[in-house]
Amino acid sequence: MNKFTLFSVLVLFIMLFTIKNADAQTEIAFELSFSEPQAHYVDVNMILSGVDADFIDVKMPVWAPGSYLVREFSKNVEQFGVKGLSGTEILPFVKINKNTWRITTNHNKKITVSYKVYAFEISVRTSFVDDAHAFISPTGVFMYVNGMLNLPAVVTVQPFAGWKKVSTGLEPLKGFSYRASDFDVLFDSPIEIGNQDTFEFDAAGTKHTVAMVGSGNYDKARLSVDMAKIVNSEKSIFDHMPNTRYVFIVHNMLKGGGGLEHLNSTVLGASRDGYGTEKGYTNFLGLVAHEYFHLWNVKRLRPEALGPFDYDNENYTTDLWISEGFTAYYDNLILRRNDFYSPEKYLDVICSDIEIVENQAGTKIQPVAESSFDAWIKYYRPNENSKNTGISYYNKGALLGMILDLEIINATKAQKGLDDVMKAMYDEYYLKLKRGFTSLEFKAMAEKVSGISLDAFYREYVYQAGPINYSIHLDHAGLNLLNDYQGKEVASLGLVASNKEGKFIVSSVMRDGAAWKEGISVNDEIIAVDGNRFTGAVEVAKVTTDLDQYIANRKAGEKVNVLLSRDGLIKTVSVTLQKDPKGKFHIENSNDATVDQFAVRKRWLNL
């Protein structure tokens, strides 16, 4: 090694030591309070101690992990200010881009950054504050120091008057103070503050707390038993429990839904009166199963792009069909394994996914790998043409999970399945290598476990758009997929319209359908067809409109004259009706299933 090289190495060592030492001296703490909860604000103090720089940049993330959309959380920040060690010295700052504030320290070793966040968006991924409670979605509330995401942080909550509880997966300290080992953990640990109804259950060696926000007709004893079954089933797949405690935050609303996974917790949206019906209750358990499965799949077993995170920009991956789609496959499978679904009901659920995918024109346009990559610009920003141009990596990914499971079970004579692939990937890339996987690495592991080539599977189903041959895969289990509409000639206009303030307005037009080809557009008002006036009245028993009924009585190939209004101008469009391409599916047992086919069916359906 020459002198120049030795000198360079020495300089680099000193720089790294200095950075590491500076990080070790810097301490970050947050104080949350609520001076105006009725106006939907949370007050934040960010206290930095041991600062040793002429200036620092503090930043607000632009997105929330698990929800792949740049949401620009900094838009909700106001009254930003900075004070020095004395508490009276006001320090200068300048905003240098949409989510970064540059602070001149004036040699202060301790500074306090204060700001308010407006929080009034009800969802599992955004913060919400009112006079009843506060839900803190961390990426939209906590800022970080540029280059110091690795530092620990302490959060102290000062609840509003009358609020008595705090629920979070963060490590508890004294009182309402909590610790995060670094900012990736902090940003992945939502906080619920208020008077939520909490209960606990133990499962898989882990204490679980359920925080019910808002009233509901839930049965805590029943939920404790059934949620524990889900936890135990999913843990058995991976044979490893990463947490010693876990928190479910459940927001009970008039109409609730959705969930967002976190490292140590999850946030669920539920309908407050939905627990009282078997369908509503089972749907809630399915949501629990989905978000809890993420404890392993995506939060730890993850594509390489999904961590460490870049909180300033999109984090692209083509593998959300695995991270989200396989999770959507397992949520229903777990319900089947615990008899929340009968085998027949489970197959009906599979058929519902098939109908969603196959009846959407976009399945012929967008491959599921592309759907994953474009989630940032398409999935969370749907428009009237989305179903014509794209497909959900949830639904199609779930079906690909099913197909891959059946292929592995069949190839290994019912000795292995997708469970074995997920566990092998978890052991290799999370526990051993401690990194994310590439697309090729997941494919290679699936091939290793199954002993078969998956080239055709990836080529035809993942990287190309087009039909899935469900029958050939279901046949491994001695099952037949049947289309109830096969051979039926049902005429279709190829559009959806509904009553809006007394007007029959087109809301979507199906690609290559009759209306598409003749130029009928979304937002057109349909006044009459063949001189018959339509109002969009709904026949409740059949859930159809009077226009639907009229078209159903015609035949494919016939012409109809549609009188419509577009931008206040009247025009008549001649439309040739087409056969409705949609399918309605069900799955039947084959009467002559072989011993091998029944073995596959038995393992898959947990018979």
Side-chain angles (χ1 to χ4, degrees):
M1 181 181 292
N2 59 42
K3 291 183 179 180
F4 179 78
T5 303
L6 181 62
F7 177 76
S8 299
V9 171
L10 180 61
V11 169
L12 179 61
F13 173 79
I14 293 172
M15 289 176 62
L16 291 173
F17 177 80
T18 302
I19 293 172
K20 182 178 180 181
N21 193 45
D23 283 356
Q25 293 177 353
T26 304
E27 297 179 359
I28 301 177
F30 292 92
E31 296 174 349
L32 300 183
S33 58
F34 304 90
S35 60
E36 299 178 292
Q38 83 291 345
H40 318 297
Y41 281 96
V42 53
D43 306 299
V44 184
N45 285 332
M46 179 183 187
I47 304 160
L48 306 174
S49 303
V51 177
D52 187 17
D54 293 335
F55 70 88
I56 59 171
D57 291 341
V58 294
K59 305 171 71 70
M60 176 73 81
V62 304
W63 69 289
S67 181
Y68 306 103
L69 176 68
V70 172
R71 297 182 183 275
E72 310 293 18
F73 293 122
S74 58
K75 67 186 177 184
N76 295 319
V77 174
E78 58 183 78
Q79 300 182 47
F80 185 96
V82 190
K83 291 184 179 180
L85 178 62
S86 67
T88 59
E89 181 186 2
I90 297 176
L91 300 181
F93 67 88
V94 60
K95 194 172 184 181
I96 61 174
N97 59 37
K98 65 181 181 180
N99 68 320
T100 307
W101 290 258
R102 176 161 292 174
I103 300 168
T104 301
T105 64
N106 287 349
H107 306 294
N108 278 272
K109 300 297 183 183
K110 180 178 181 180
I111 65 175
T112 300
V113 180
S114 301
Y115 55 94
K116 296 171 76 76
V117 176
Y118 181 70
F120 195 55
E121 184 178 349
I122 298 177
S123 81
V124 296
R125 63 192 67 85
T126 51
S127 297
F128 180 89
V129 176
D130 65 10
D131 57 3
H133 77 112
F135 171 64
I136 304 301
S137 183
T139 50
V141 172
F142 297 114
M143 295 189 184
Y144 66 96
V145 179
N146 191 34
M148 296 187 182
L149 284 168
N150 61 310
L151 293 186
V154 172
V155 177
T156 299
V157 178
Q158 299 173 8
F160 185 65
W163 295 355
K164 299 178 180 179
K165 292 183 179 180
V166 175
S167 300
T168 179
L170 288 169
E171 175 190 346
L173 301 175
K174 287 185 178 181
F176 290 139
S177 292
Y178 306 87
R179 181 183 184 275
S181 57
D182 57 48
F183 273 74
D184 286 321
V185 172
L186 177 63
F187 288 150
D188 217 6
S189 303
I191 305 172
E192 177 64 38
I193 309 158
N195 295 308
Q196 55 272 23
D197 182 17
T198 58
F199 62 94
E200 295 181 343
F201 66 88
D202 291 327
T206 298
K207 176 173 287 188
H208 295 76
T209 300
V210 182
M212 287 291 193
V213 183
S215 61
N217 61 349
Y218 52 86
D219 181 332
K220 289 188 281 189
R222 184 185 184 192
L223 280 173
S224 295
V225 172
D226 291 342
M227 292 172 74
K229 290 179 181 178
I230 291 170
V231 169
N232 288 325
S233 290
E234 295 185 349
K235 186 263 182 181
S236 68
I237 295 172
F238 297 93
D239 195 29
H240 176 260
M241 198 66 183
N243 290 1
T244 57
R245 56 189 297 269
Y246 188 91
V247 177
F248 294 92
I249 298 174
V250 185
H251 290 149
N252 294 296
M253 296 169 285
L254 178 62
K255 293 182 179 180
L260 188 62
E261 69 276 2
H262 298 281
L263 279 167
N264 49 37
S265 55
T266 187
V267 185
L268 309 177
S271 297
R272 65 173 69 103
D273 296 324
Y275 305 94
T277 66
E278 281 306 306
K279 180 180 179 181
Y281 185 72
T282 306
N283 285 345
F284 177 74
L285 292 182
L287 182 60
V288 170
H290 183 98
E291 300 306 333
Y292 202 84
F293 195 82
H294 277 313
L295 183 63
W296 297 274
N297 190 31
V298 90
K299 298 315 302 182
R300 291 168 175 85
L301 171 60
R302 58 175 178 79
E304 59 180 350
L306 299 184
F309 293 118
D310 177 353
Y311 295 102
D312 279 351
N313 301 288
E314 297 87 347
N315 293 231
Y316 294 103
T317 175
T318 59
D319 290 323
L320 290 180
W321 64 276
I322 297 173
S323 298
E324 291 291 353
F326 281 17
T327 303
Y329 169 61
Y330 270 102
D331 57 26
N332 290 316
L333 191 62
I334 292 298
L335 295 190
R336 166 65 211 119
R337 289 178 179 178
N338 287 279
D339 290 322
F340 297 120
Y341 282 154
S342 67
E344 295 76 19
K345 175 59 179 176
Y346 176 67
L347 294 178
D348 287 343
V349 171
I350 292 292
C351 287
S352 295
D353 268 337
I354 292 175
E355 288 167 15
I356 290 172
V357 171
E358 296 305 317
N359 291 340
Q360 186 162 316
T363 193
K364 300 176 182 178
I365 304 299
Q366 185 184 50
V368 71
E370 181 184 298
S371 173
S372 300
F373 192 85
D374 282 349
W376 296 91
I377 58 173
K378 291 188 176 181
Y379 183 78
Y380 288 95
R381 289 178 175 147
N383 61 26
E384 67 282 352
N385 198 44
S386 293
K387 290 185 178 180
N388 288 323
T389 189
I391 194 67
S392 167
Y393 47 78
Y394 282 91
N395 301 113
K396 190 164 185 178
L399 292 174
L400 295 188
M402 174 195 76
I403 289 170
L404 188 55
D405 202 3
L406 286 168
E407 289 300 311
I408 296 170
I409 297 172
N410 181 65
T412 61
K413 298 189 181 301
Q415 296 305 302
K416 295 181 180 180
L418 188 57
D419 287 11
D420 298 279
V421 176
M422 301 303 287
K423 183 183 186 307
M425 288 294 295
Y426 183 84
D427 290 348
E428 180 72 12
Y429 292 97
Y430 175 68
L431 293 179
K432 180 181 177 181
L433 298 180
K434 303 184 186 305
R435 66 169 175 85
F437 61 82
T438 67
S439 299
L440 289 177
E441 286 170 339
F442 192 96
K443 176 176 178 288
M445 184 66 78
E447 290 178 329
K448 179 180 178 181
V449 170
S450 65
I452 59 175
S453 170
L454 294 174
D455 288 349
F457 174 89
Y458 271 78
R459 182 179 63 252
E460 297 172 12
Y461 295 162
V462 177
Y463 297 119
Q464 292 181 12
I468 294 176
N469 190 341
Y470 301 99
S471 296
I472 193 172
H473 305 292
L474 288 168
D475 184 63
H476 294 323
L479 298 170
N480 300 317
L481 179 68
L482 302 175
N483 185 353
D484 296 341
Y485 292 169
Q486 187 72 34
K488 292 184 178 180
E489 291 284 339
V490 179
S492 171
L493 265 176
L495 58 77
V496 176
S498 57
N499 191 326
K500 292 185 179 180
E501 299 179 352
K503 297 180 179 180
F504 205 23
I505 305 299
V506 177
S507 58
S508 66
V509 177
M510 185 176 65
R511 178 183 288 273
D512 295 328
W516 171 286
K517 291 184 176 179
E518 299 302 336
I520 295 179
S521 299
V522 168
N523 297 325
D524 284 351
E525 176 193 355
I526 295 181
I527 300 172
V529 177
D530 291 341
N532 297 289
R533 173 79 178 184
F534 294 103
T535 63
V538 175
E539 188 178 346
V540 178
K542 295 183 179 179
V543 195
T544 184
T545 65
D546 48 3
L547 175 59
D548 293 331
Q549 190 62 53
Y550 178 80
I551 296 300
N553 290 329
R554 306 297 296 269
K555 294 182 178 180
E558 293 183 357
K559 287 185 178 292
V560 295
N561 293 314
V562 180
L563 181 67
L564 57 82
S565 172
R566 180 180 298 165
D567 193 30
L569 300 177
I570 304 299
K571 68 180 296 184
T572 299
V573 179
S574 179
V575 180
T576 301
L577 299 178
Q578 294 185 5
K579 177 185 174 182
D580 192 339
K582 293 185 177 66
K584 175 69 176 176
F585 300 95
H586 74 275
I587 296 173
E588 290 184 350
N589 294 335
S590 175
N591 292 327
D592 56 353
T594 66
V595 172
D596 288 342
Q597 287 174 317
F598 185 76
V600 172
R601 187 193 307 172
K602 183 178 180 181
R603 179 183 174 105
W604 180 44
L605 296 181
N606 196 45
L607 299 176

